[in-house]
Amino acid sequence: AASCHHPASTSCLHVKGMSMSPLIHDGDILAVDYSEVSHADLDGKIVMVWHKDKGLSVSRFRRYRGVEVLEAENRAYETVTLGSDRNWRIVGKILWWTRLAP
């Protein structure tokens, strides 16, 4: 069963794009907990991020010796270093995802 610790701050969205494939696919449904945004608690987790020019994205958040980055599962997409672009903001942690049966 899927877990949801903060139902009032959790929403489901459809994914558009392939940056997280093969883990998460275009059209999958994500559950996002908007209350979980602490950088200290999210290392290695999949998060939803927002950029004022690029909108919403899904990435894996990692911390390497004090450097914070957003990594796509699909290696065709570039890693983003958060220190070099302050316009990115973590808006929530991805709790789970699913896809509809064909």
Side-chain angles (χ1 to χ4, degrees):
S3 174
C4 182
H5 297 290
H6 308 108
S9 61
T10 301
S11 295
C12 290
L13 307 162
H14 276 274
V15 173
K16 183 175 181 185
M18 298 301 293
S19 69
M20 291 303 287
S21 78
L23 187 63
I24 300 172
H25 296 271
D26 185 69
D28 285 359
I29 300 168
L30 302 176
V32 184
D33 184 341
Y34 296 102
S35 72
E36 296 197 40
V37 296
S38 169
H39 290 211
D41 298 332
L42 293 174
D43 187 25
K45 305 296 185 201
I46 299 174
V47 296
M48 177 161 289
V49 294
W50 178 82
H51 187 279
K52 69 179 187 110
D53 298 325
K54 300 175 185 178
L56 291 172
S57 299
V58 176
S59 291
R60 188 173 301 275
F61 176 76
R62 296 225 190 247
R63 301 173 86 183
Y64 297 105
R65 296 187 182 121
V67 177
E68 296 179 337
V69 299
L70 300 171
E71 296 178 335
E73 292 291 314
N74 184 338
R75 296 302 172 210
Y77 291 77
E78 290 186 26
T79 296
V80 173
T81 302
L82 294 183
S84 65
D85 188 343
R86 294 284 180 198
N87 292 312
W88 289 100
R89 185 170 58 93
I90 295 175
V91 296
K93 175 182 164 186
I94 306 301
L95 300 176
W96 51 262
W97 59 90
T98 189
R99 66 188 50 107
L100 299 176

